[in-house]
Amino acid sequence: MTMTEPIIFEYRGSRRQPFTPLSEVPANLPEDALRQDQLLMPQVSELQVVRHYTRLSQLNYSIDTNFYPLGSCTMKYNPRICNRLAMLPGFLARHPLAPEEQGQGFMQCLFELQQMLQQVTGMAEVSLTPMAGAQGELAGVAMIRAYHLSRGDGDRRQIIVPDAAHGTNPATATMCGCEVVEVATRPDGDLDLDALRTILGPKTAGIMLTNPSTLGVFERQIEAIAAAVHDVGGLLYYDGANLNAILGKILPVDMGFDVVHVNLHKTFSTPHGGGGPGSGAVGVGERLRPYLPVPIVERRDGAYVWADESDRPQTIGRLSTYMGNAGVLLRAYVYLRMLGDEGMQRVADFATLNANYLMTCLAEADFELAFPERRASHEFIVTLKKVTRDTGVKAMDFAKALLDRGMHAPTTYFPLMVPECLLIEPTETESKQVLDAFVASLVELRELAYSDPQQLTTAPHSTPVRRLDDVRAAKHPDLAWRGAPKPTSK
Amino acid sequence: MTMTEPIIFEYRGSRRQPFTPLSEVPANLPEDALRQDQLLMPQVSELQVVRHYTRLSQLNYSIDTNFYPLGSCTMKYNPRICNRLAMLPGFLARHPLAPEEQGQGFMQCLFELQQMLQQVTGMAEVSLTPMAGAQGELAGVAMIRAYHLSRGDGDRRQIIVPDAAHGTNPATATMCGCEVVEVATRPDGDLDLDALRTILGPKTAGIMLTNPSTLGVFERQIEAIAAAVHDVGGLLYYDGANLNAILGKILPVDMGFDVVHVNLHKTFSTPHGGGGPGSGAVGVGERLRPYLPVPIVERRDGAYVWADESDRPQTIGRLSTYMGNAGVLLRAYVYLRMLGDEGMQRVADFATLNANYLMTCLAEADFELAFPERRASHEFIVTLKKVTRDTGVKAMDFAKALLDRGMHAPTTYFPLMVPECLLIEPTETESKQVLDAFVASLVELRELAYSDPQQLTTAPHSTPVRRLDDVRAAKHPDLAWRGAPKPTSK
Amino acid sequence: MPFIPHTAEDTAAMLARIGVADIERLFDEIPSGLRVNEFDCIGKGLTEAEISRLMHERASADKQPLCFLGAGAYDHYVPAAVWDIATRGEFYSAYTPYQAEASQGTLQVIYEFQSMVTSLTGLDVANASLYDGASAFAEACLMAVRANRKSESRRILVPRTMHPTYRAVAQTILAGQSLELVELPMRDGRTALSALQALATEEFAAVAVQQPNFFGALEPVDELTDWAHGHGGMLIAVANPIALAVLKPPGKWGADGADIACGEGQPLGIPLSAGGPYFGYMASKESIIRQMPGRIVGRTVDLDGNPGFTLTLQAREQHIRRSRATSNICTNQGLMVTAATIYMSLLGADGLRQAALACHANTRALVEGLTELPGITRAFDAPYFHEAVLRLDRPAPELLGALAAQGILGGYDLSADYPELEPALLVCATEARSGGDIQRYLQAAADLLFESGRATG
Amino acid sequence: MPFIPHTAEDTAAMLARIGVADIERLFDEIPSGLRVNEFDCIGKGLTEAEISRLMHERASADKQPLCFLGAGAYDHYVPAAVWDIATRGEFYSAYTPYQAEASQGTLQVIYEFQSMVTSLTGLDVANASLYDGASAFAEACLMAVRANRKSESRRILVPRTMHPTYRAVAQTILAGQSLELVELPMRDGRTALSALQALATEEFAAVAVQQPNFFGALEPVDELTDWAHGHGGMLIAVANPIALAVLKPPGKWGADGADIACGEGQPLGIPLSAGGPYFGYMASKESIIRQMPGRIVGRTVDLDGNPGFTLTLQAREQHIRRSRATSNICTNQGLMVTAATIYMSLLGADGLRQAALACHANTRALVEGLTELPGITRAFDAPYFHEAVLRLDRPAPELLGALAAQGILGGYDLSADYPELEPALLVCATEARSGGDIQRYLQAAADLLFESGRATG
Ligand SMILES: Cc1ncc(COP(=O)(O)O)c(C=O)c1O
Ligand SMILES: Cc1ncc(COP(=O)(O)O)c(C=O)c1O
């Protein structure tokens, strides 16, 4: 109900309570190594901190408060029990370098999680160390490179990505020293196989795909694509961001993939936390197994131990200081154990049902689908290009106006090649009631677009702030509080 | 940001997830003992529950979000650590009837808390069992009655309370089978000692006082009052609701009190929880010691054990099924240990400083004080009777308008004999910044009262609901959801 | 300074504004002879880190045995969401919702809670909670005496099968107003219907009955209700709310239903936590609502005609009616009610029913297993819900001690409260006990009994 | 059905609307030959009660020894308010703040965090976090190579005193883009300034330095910074944020200050939690901000001219720039940053300083106590902050094993990473260790050493 809140630094004239057990001690450190200036930090009481951040939290939309159909992001319910159990004192107090024998409970969870992810992807082995999807991609492409290099095939530097690919795919390829080659999508949403064939060749390191793709459709030619890529000596990378759509229904290995990453913070419902932490576990087939990043949990003589560089001499190496985002892994483990096999398939079932239902309702309400002849996977794309042409109201305006209706916006303007697009992913944890309300809102907004477009182009109206000036933000970066509030240009 | 929320029953068409380990089993219970009708309960998913109650929580003002100067209620910061530690699994899992030797950690905390409360009140012994202030009062008056009865003095049935007393005082006297006799307050806020003397006599069981009183002033004649009551054979009951004002500064025993209750949820900062739980520990001097309610923790042979009816044959008995509000007691214990002796006195210091500062600022801003010549204790009274006379805007309107400014209202219309009163208690955990903002708001509202009274009489404007129709609520009680939403009279 | 935000400059500025030299001056109305000289009560304050460590040590010193003890407090599984949400600052740190417009969250929760309680009890109206089960029972007795227009009597007939502490607490609370509790005798662990006639000679205000009773047995509630009504008395039901998911609700007992239902709310998502805080619930027929103690929330409309919630019927309460209030209760158990409301919403009707049936099944498995052992028999034949009394061939502490040594809390020794049953043990296995847990109990008991059988036999 | 709200009627109605007979039909675009026939991966789902029990067992099987181990992750006391608030659903279950108007809470938190990081580091700008300390260091190397306009070199000079895993991770991440890490040798536990000149013959993009370094020792950061700048290189600081409460901030190193600072954020309120999630922080001079990886939040104004927050400078990021982005990072460690921001707010400058000094004092007490024992000496003379290296007269595992038997996690055995130091142990005592804890360590060590002294001597 409080819609704005000062910067914490602006609570002046207050003093924190001392809380460390020792009082000030003489520093006994060389003078020239010490800070001379006063450290600028908030000086506030515990109540002020609690009140400030409690109020700030209330300014957020979140799964716990709002429908959040953000395509490609799988914003489903994050069970509270997963957090509770991952934060048990025994887990929280463990130092990452403590001996393995002191943490067998923790290690067993990770070992079992590795096995589950193996089975759910069909891969030969899994490493849990990548700390988000993008780091999983980096591990995967690095392994593809290592594989080619180990065969003296180091010239294979081309990584093929569809034009609809998520930005992390091409960015990852670059980070791995590869060259990105884009391949086009056909109007029906499948890949242009002919175009792909002309690209493939002796420089092909591999191809990165998600399936279902970021267009919300299942790539039907996946077998042909896999054959074509393998035929020229390339490998297939599976971006698992959309695994929720096919969980337990079809395994990446059966589609021909050699390496996959799984976004545990999407498919396995660990919280997005306002932007992380995530986890991007990678799984590989036999060919890439030697290159998996370390550490990996192994079971030896009935005990769980870390396998490291000495056990895995061909590993691409380490990606994190210790072993990755342990707490995220525990949450995913708890979630998976609660789902069970049936529960996993049910996730795919109902994620798909919800998406197709929503797509049907919107189509019947005369919204234009990007791929009207296709099934939705767990998400689908509406294009507002006609509305925009008729009224000037853009996809972004719809997005902002939805916020006024208490719903988070779908993903906008991604994938890039669909104009004025909304990528809508309801997830399996939302009820029919919520979906129906969403349809009603979109219908109402489209009516408004024709009758009173300004209502949309100036939306949102009821959020803590109105539409923000992004251009000003980038032109005159104000990225840190500098000691006194700046006057705002009213 | 969501300002309204359906009743949880109105989320239809959804199904809860099964969660108990066993599936349906045959009942094996006599048919005529069983429920025949369908139990009407919400049928919703976990996400719907989490979302619904998270949203509802956001509709509340609370210490964690707003300044809350509710007089007589001591709405201070509730340290999060108190909750955290009281909810440690070892404490939560303990069955109240488990053997004492299995809960020595818990018992030790309670034993030490009894001792601390003894010292803080100066009493001879303390029982922690009363579950709120009112139950502490009941215990106290029952002990006074038991004392008189034990001396064959059973005709002493009159309990004297000041006209400014909190409603629980007279209500308690009645519950204990006593007759309530009111004594008037003088214009300076102290008790009318002459009037008291005319009331006192052989029927006097005792007098119930708070000091500082509910008028926000310290009763200066307390010694004379105590002497007068004791002289006629009556006892003095101390309502500890205002102990925050004098913590470690003056002990109830030194004022002459024979029995006291302490509101742990006020003075010792356990949370009010939207209306409880509280704890109203009672302490007594030697005379009343045999009558203390059981159970009480005692230390015998190095172990902590419960003393019960068999150890205390003259006890007034039990007040709760087990031992009172254990979790509240643990929170108070943690809080007290963090304060220490110095911290306790500092509480009184700054609670008093804040109240006197606020009183001074408001007086300087020409607000009329109920007792302008007195110091404030930790609270004080402003009367708006002149504003009301001039403008028709009442204390209640000011209260509602404050809500629009993000501040909770002070207590209104209590004590009953001060017209259009605001009883204001800022507590020690609020900063000068907050107090200054409060003064500014009141000044602004008074200006509005003269310039645009309707703004106040129709306030609040920005809360989740506008002013509610209490008359309708009482005339046509709608106290439970009956299966379908009722149409509202727009 | 713990929890005090003032800087030295703030303090100085504030004192200057007030016009005093130091804070001490603000206490100058206190007779100086009364002031504390040296305050030595708890010693030095601990930091958060220090108290945290201390309490972790204390808590982990406390054992967490496998719990087969009920006797009024039950070890049910509480889903994580319940307390995650109930302890959100906005619920946790709010006051009683006196300013309705700023407290719609708490108020709506209570309204929903009242709705759920009326549904569980089959009665018309419910309040926002009382302290706990025992004190709620005492309040129910007072309410019945006030509400019974047919009788001036202050007698309440209370079965010996009712929780002994409920009776004791009622005694404490009712003594002041001279209510008299008359014991209804028992037979085979239930209220003896045959003994009623003898008691009908004197007038009474109400009959109370607990369902299931203290022994876990099901009482003849229909007969008792009709008999009470037939003799001008009211019927007070004390009922376990989890059991009410499967048992006939008090509002449907006999021809006209119970008049008042109350009981312990702890089973609805409240941890055992050593005895509290729990909460008492209370429901009644609509006709007697103005005699109800405690807070009540109603739905109404606001200035714009939109629905909203507010405390209502406050004329019953101490802050309005003072010495003529229905009760002195003020602060009740709001946070517990919030948790219970979330708990009931999470479980729904099916979940509550499943939990109830699982408790029943587990207790049956335990009782059947134990009664196969030598020296253990059922004390009563009456059907039971999720507790039962076992008669032992030796003092209960002997068995309980052996179980405790294996980390098992084996039940409640009835010898003090019911010497006539000795040696007897009240056992309970909730839905939170697994098959393996029950096996552990059975094995430990068998080991003891066979061992001592060998020793003595 | 876990977490799925559909009733059978809902499902039927939805299928009817779509026009298919069952859900299975919705998968009909998947080549049927590829479909999973039997899915047997984890078995039956557990209820919440069952998994809760399992995880409690696993967690309590894990030991919680008294921790004197640092080596990059530190056991600081975390006030309860930190995670109580960070795990509020509105922070916990929100996505990256792409829709700024619906995410002002998270955005303002990040802005405040960035402010605090610039203050700690003495630099101009900071980002919203990277994965952890090691990967942040790798990103810093890439950033330096991109940002250094004076040199085309891809070489980074990295001291041997830098955390070994940071160097290993950088190796993994930088291999693809052919960056070369050149080791700066050490002397007496610090970077050997004398060795620099030999390295200046070849061009380099940047010099890195860790302060305090892996051994807890203070590096000659001013000299290193000036030397790097003097040779056309940038200076990358890797610094412990708690130490920065008392140590000279990177922005003030040498004449011109470090160009980039990064490091592990874990000490700022993040529990050890077996290795993660932690977060990496990164700050830099304003001039090179367009080379910064990761998200950045800026303050701007809304349509009405009111201040608000939004993600900014996104043209650096993968979702806009794709293959030419500064990094592939997308999801970062938002929730950890929220916790760290609350932690820093609670402590303030004084609290951070006190925590830092208490760590220093405790480690000194430990080191001084241990070096009084026979067979233990300090390995280096250099001043240290809150970690130090001890040289032992026997293999470290012998001492560590004896300590472990007493529930003490005694430090980090350096033999694998630094065979030249063997046998040596890195120890750390944070502010969370009490005097009694330190005594326990000293006593246990003394017992071992004297005992074995007796045995051998
Ligand atoms: C299709 C796709 N691939 C990859 C990613 C990157 O995953 P992360 O954000 O965990 O790095 C995302 C995340 O949005 C995604 O949607
Ligand atoms: C002066 C006074 N006395 C007694 C009480 C009753 O305490 P409780 O609400 O804990 O029953 C209160 C509570 O508001 C009070 O302010």
Side-chain angles (χ1 to χ4, degrees), chain C residues 6-29:
Chain C
H6 301 64
T7 60
E9 304 82 64
D10 284 343
T11 305
M14 293 167 80
L15 289 169
R17 183 82 176 266
I18 299 169
V20 294
D22 53 30
I23 291 178
E24 192 48 42
R25 292 284 303 176
L26 300 175
F27 294 97
D28 57 9
E29 293 188 357

Side-chain angles (χ1 to χ4, degrees), chain B residues 121-244:
Chain B
T121 58
M123 293 287 140
E125 192 167 15
V126 164
S127 166
L128 302 172
T129 188
M131 291 176 286
Q135 222 195 20
E137 294 175 32
L138 186 130
V141 177
M143 286 189 278
I144 291 175
R145 279 287 294 154
Y147 167 79
H148 291 310
L149 281 168
S150 78
R151 295 157 46 101
D153 210 3
D155 278 351
R156 289 188 181 271
R157 284 191 176 272
Q158 286 186 346
I159 291 284
I160 302 166
V161 301
D163 51 3
H166 192 263
T168 50
N169 295 178
T172 298
T174 302
M175 282 192 83
C176 293
C178 292
E179 180 197 339
V180 176
V181 185
E182 272 201 5
V183 57
T185 303
R186 288 196 323 241
D188 68 358
D190 286 339
L191 212 64
D192 187 334
L193 194 51
D194 296 331
L196 176 64
R197 290 216 168 92
T198 65
I199 294 166
L200 289 169
K203 299 221 158 151
T204 301
I207 186 168
M208 301 180 83
L209 292 175
T210 63
N211 197 12
S213 74
T214 50
L215 297 167
V217 296
F218 189 87
E219 172 57 64
R220 293 169 293 194
Q221 322 159 95
I222 185 62
E223 292 162 296
I225 294 172
V229 173
H230 283 150
D231 277 353
V232 299
L235 298 182
L236 280 89
Y237 183 96
Y238 184 76
D239 175 337
N242 291 337
L243 191 66
N244 213 50

Side-chain angles (χ1 to χ4, degrees), chain B residues 249-271:
Chain B
K249 298 282 172 181
I250 168 169
L251 309 185
V253 71
D254 293 330
M255 295 191 249
F257 287 96
D258 301 286
V259 45
V260 2
H261 88 258
V262 182
N263 285 30
L264 302 187
H265 46 304
K266 300 186 174 181
T267 313
F268 299 125
S269 202
T270 68

